[in-house]
Amino acid sequence: NAGVTQTPKFQVLKTGQSMTLQCAQDMNHNSMYWYRQDPGMGLRLIYYSASEGTTDKGEVPNGYNVSRLNKREFSLRLESAAPSQTSVYFCASSVAGTIYEQYFGPGTRLTVT
Amino acid sequence: GENVEQHPSTLSVQEGDSAVIKCTYSDSASNYFPWYKQELGKGPQLIIDIRSNVGEKKDQRIAVTLNKTAKHFSLHITETQPEDSAVYFCAARRGLLTGGGNKLTFGTGTQLKVEL
């Protein structure tokens, strides 16, 4: 049982390049989330998917798109990377309903030059 | 939307002392308050949580207290050990019936250092 896995672990992009961050969970969770973590700002929600087939914007969605490919996988895409998107990205998942705990992946450190 | 403030941003204690981290929230509809611990290079991990119908919850050396009237909640770690050194985040969540989904709003984090 690997929990939540993320690929890649590290990535360096040039301004304007695109890339997709991958996330998968093997806990049969319904809900999945993407956060970014910046120094002094905590974790901020980018997008989330309450269940397979649905996605909704979080606090900071501009410049990102997401795809809930199936129940296990939730990807985050940067279409045209900007230096302001340099951050550590975390994917998380949770059971739907009244069980609230979110389980986090190990993160992807992204640098945009 | 919800706003969560967390203090202090850094905290240094001697091994064996207690540590207290405080958070305030703005949305009176919030009803779930988790605390996460993040070790260097890893994702956050839930260590304790409390729901709005409870004033205090304890799990061995850690406890969380909630004051709904004042809209603040605190994490207490007793008998601190070097392995408690990490970044701690508080968070708040609105209830499902008030349209919160399962979205958490996080505080900005507290770097706890336990010195020998």
Side-chain angles (χ1 to χ4, degrees):
Chain A
N1 193 339
V4 179
T5 57
Q6 293 183 235
T7 55
K9 285 189 175 12
F10 301 93
Q11 184 71 48
V12 179
L13 291 178
K14 289 185 166 37
T15 298
Q17 287 185 319
S18 62
M19 79 160 295
T20 299
L21 281 65
Q22 306 286 355
C23 173
Q25 51 88 12
D26 62 2
M27 297 175 282
N28 200 35
H29 285 169
N30 293 310
S31 302
M32 297 184 75
Y33 315 82
W34 276 105
Y35 293 90
R36 61 177 288 172
Q37 183 176 30
D38 303 293
M41 301 193 75
L43 291 135
R44 292 181 293 168
L45 184 65
I46 304 170
Y47 270 95
Y48 71 104
S49 171
S51 60
E52 189 179 352
T54 68
T55 60
D56 279 293
K57 294 178 181 179
E59 186 185 348
V60 288
N62 290 345
Y64 305 95
N65 284 302
V66 290
S67 294
R68 182 74 183 267
L69 304 169
N70 47 56
K71 191 172 185 180
R72 288 188 63 247
E73 297 171 290
F74 189 37
S75 63
L76 178 72
R77 183 158 178 85
L78 287 71
E79 290 291 352
S80 178
S84 60
Q85 294 178 305
T86 293
S87 188
V88 181
Y89 291 86
F90 288 99
C91 177
S93 69
S94 70
V95 176
T98 57
I99 300 173
Y100 301 149
E101 179 174 359
Q102 292 186 16
Y103 294 80
F104 284 80
T108 294
R109 184 174 292 275
L110 175 67
T111 302
V112 183
T113 61
Chain B
E2 175 68 279
N3 183 48
V4 177
E5 294 191 0
Q6 183 172 346
H7 300 281
S9 56
T10 60
L11 180 59
S12 188
V13 300
Q14 295 292 315
E15 183 180 6
D17 286 351
S18 295
V20 180
I21 303 169
K22 298 182 179 181
C23 289
T24 60
Y25 62 98
S26 61
D27 189 345
S28 57
S30 290
N31 67 355
Y32 172 68
F33 307 92
W35 286 89
Y36 283 81
K37 177 183 181 182
Q38 185 179 25
E39 295 176 342
L40 196 61
K42 296 186 177 179
Q45 184 172 16
L46 181 73
I47 55 170
I48 196 168
D49 56 13
I50 192 167
R51 302 192 185 205
S52 59
N53 57 350
V54 174
E56 183 174 359
K57 185 176 178 182
K58 219 173 175 182
D59 183 3
Q60 298 181 4
R61 293 187 299 108
I62 60 173
V64 57
T65 58
L66 171 65
N67 183 327
K68 280 178 61 180
T69 304
K71 290 192 277 188
H72 66 71
F73 56 112
S74 300
L75 177 72
H76 304 254
I77 305 173
T78 59
E79 300 171 23
T80 54
Q81 300 166 4
E83 52 265 39
D84 294 329
S85 295
V87 179
Y88 292 80
F89 291 97
C90 63
R93 176 200 182 284
R94 284 185 114 201
L96 281 172
L97 294 178
T98 52
N102 195 19
K103 293 184 288 185
L104 294 175
T105 300
F106 284 85
T108 51
T110 296
Q111 174 75 62
L112 174 63
K113 184 175 180 184
V114 180
E115 297 176 331
L116 296 170

